[in-house]
Amino acid sequence: MDLEKLKYPLGHYHYEKPSEETWNQWIEHIESMPSKLTKLVSSLSFDAMERTYRPGGWNVKQIVHHFADSHINAFARFKIVLTEESPTIRTYRQTAWAEREDASNEEITDSLDLLSGLHKRWAVLLKTLKPQEKDRKFIHPEYEGERHLEWLTGLYAWHCRHHLAHIKLAIEKESKKESK
């Protein structure tokens, strides 16, 4: 498999105006991610948690901690966009965060617990948005022009699926090695 396919097993995020069904699927992806993640990683050994999905990529435990880091920021971004007029949201250096000791710690339970509660609240927030709130605008310094909350929702629904796919790749990669 080529490196680009390993980096982006689902492809890059591409926004299209969602139907009501797609919107609800996005919320379901966000709401169910913690339970899917827990199911994927709960029986992994210490060695399995050290596996990467590609050369130079994050290992499984770093991805779990990255979910926590990223989604704390995401939830805060949603709240800021909903309560301020066209804010510029703050970015963070995700690679630097992933290199911190707390993000390479083998103990992932706290991140899993954090994600469980956070995603429950996030799902409630998304399910209760008024139609006009989905169109609330913001500036994201890493992208050109204004974006809207609906775009951001799709991005994080993709993000959930994207990193779950990375973990599956890491698990499958090792399983293939062991079966040879």
Side-chain angles (χ1 to χ4, degrees):
M1 190 177 280
D2 69 30
L3 189 58
E4 185 69 10
K5 186 67 176 165
L6 291 172
K7 283 183 179 181
Y8 297 97
L10 307 176
H12 292 271
Y13 174 58
H14 176 73
Y15 171 78
E16 288 184 20
K17 179 84 175 150
S19 64
E20 190 66 27
E21 180 182 352
T22 299
W23 173 258
N24 291 330
Q25 286 173 347
W26 287 352
I27 294 172
E28 193 280 326
H29 290 311
I30 291 169
E31 186 171 29
S32 66
M33 188 284 290
S35 62
K36 289 177 180 177
L37 177 62
T38 299
K39 185 177 179 182
L40 266 177
V41 302
S42 63
S43 64
L44 294 180
S45 67
F46 174 81
D47 289 339
M49 295 295 284
E50 296 288 326
R51 295 176 189 156
T52 62
Y53 60 95
R54 67 172 172 87
W58 290 337
N59 63 36
V60 171
K61 67 185 175 196
Q62 285 175 304
I63 296 170
V64 172
H65 294 309
H66 166 69
F67 266 132
D69 292 343
S70 175
H71 293 188
I72 287 170
N73 277 285
F75 186 73
R77 288 170 174 173
F78 273 75
K79 298 286 268 200
I80 289 167
V81 172
L82 287 166
T83 60
E84 297 178 17
E85 291 304 316
S86 298
T88 297
I89 58 173
R90 187 162 171 12
T91 61
Y92 74 103
R93 295 178 47 218
Q94 66 181 11
T95 301
W97 284 40
E99 292 169 353
R100 301 294 305 176
E101 184 60 35
D102 67 305
S104 60
N105 184 341
E106 64 268 358
E107 179 50 58
I108 61 169
T109 305
D110 290 340
S111 284
L112 292 172
D113 290 345
L114 186 151
L115 287 163
S116 179
L118 180 66
H119 279 247
K120 284 177 186 170
R121 282 204 48 203
W122 198 355
V124 168
L125 179 69
L126 291 170
K127 289 175 182 178
T128 59
L129 286 179
K130 295 173 183 70
Q132 66 272 20
E133 289 176 316
K134 295 177 188 178
D135 291 329
R136 294 207 38 112
K137 306 270 191 248
F138 65 94
I139 304 291
H140 191 304
E142 294 174 349
Y143 299 94
E144 286 189 31
E146 281 189 323
R147 301 292 170 156
H148 48 80
L149 211 53
E150 189 175 79
W151 175 89
L152 196 60
T153 305
L155 176 67
Y156 280 101
W158 172 87
H159 188 259
C160 290
R161 295 173 36 248
H162 170 70
H163 284 306
L164 287 172
H166 283 155
I167 292 171
K168 289 175 187 173
L169 282 172
I171 293 168
E172 290 168 9
K173 184 173 102 174
E174 199 60 29
S175 296
K176 286 177 186 174
K177 274 188 205 176
E178 291 171 0
S179 66
K180 287 184 180 180

